[in-house]
Amino acid sequence: TIAVATAMQESSLYNSASPAVPESLNYPHDKVSSPDTDSVGLFQQRTSQGWGTVEQLMTPTYSAKAFYLSLKKVGGWESMALTDAAAAVQRPYWKYRSYYAKREDAAKQIVTRLTGVTAGI
């Protein structure tokens, strides 16, 4: 649920390329984001922050795995509020930390429908 809410907030679940990262336009993508950032993919991750190569970040399975691996390193993430866990992974500018909470209910619904299990965080 944390990952789905995060991807919803970061990219509206679109695998996004960026003109600021011209190489990203060479890989399958659903939309082109604003040219003012070097963030790409579902989670809007950045090669400059060590998330992986552009090719890797434009691959949804890789970017999701990178998110999950980073989340597992956050101590106590299982008992955190969704927005705190997401922010611990994504490290957004402080004023955007609470934005992930806006997606929590919809993310829970998506996860519940995909898994058949009532989703928590």
Side-chain angles (χ1 to χ4, degrees), residues 7-97:
M8 289 173 73
Q9 178 59 38
E10 295 291 347
S11 69
S12 299
L13 294 176
Y14 289 108
N15 195 30
S16 301
S18 172
V21 185
E23 181 186 347
S24 68
L25 300 166
N26 297 330
Y27 300 104
H29 55 280
D30 303 309
K31 74 175 193 173
V32 177
S33 63
S34 171
D36 64 343
T37 179
D38 65 343
S39 301
V40 298
L42 289 172
F43 292 90
Q44 292 295 281
Q45 295 155 325
R46 304 166 101 177
T47 60
S48 64
Q49 292 182 347
W51 284 100
T53 66
V54 174
E55 180 179 15
Q56 290 170 326
L57 299 181
M58 291 301 296
T59 305
T61 53
Y62 176 91
S63 62
K65 184 175 180 178
F67 179 88
Y68 289 125
L69 290 173
S70 185
L71 179 63
K72 285 178 68 173
K73 293 177 185 176
V74 175
W77 69 267
E78 299 96 330
S79 59
M80 289 181 177
L82 180 144
T83 196
D84 294 333
V89 173
Q90 296 295 101
R91 301 181 308 274
Y93 184 63
W94 68 270
K95 73 177 187 175
Y96 300 120
R97 289 182 59 87

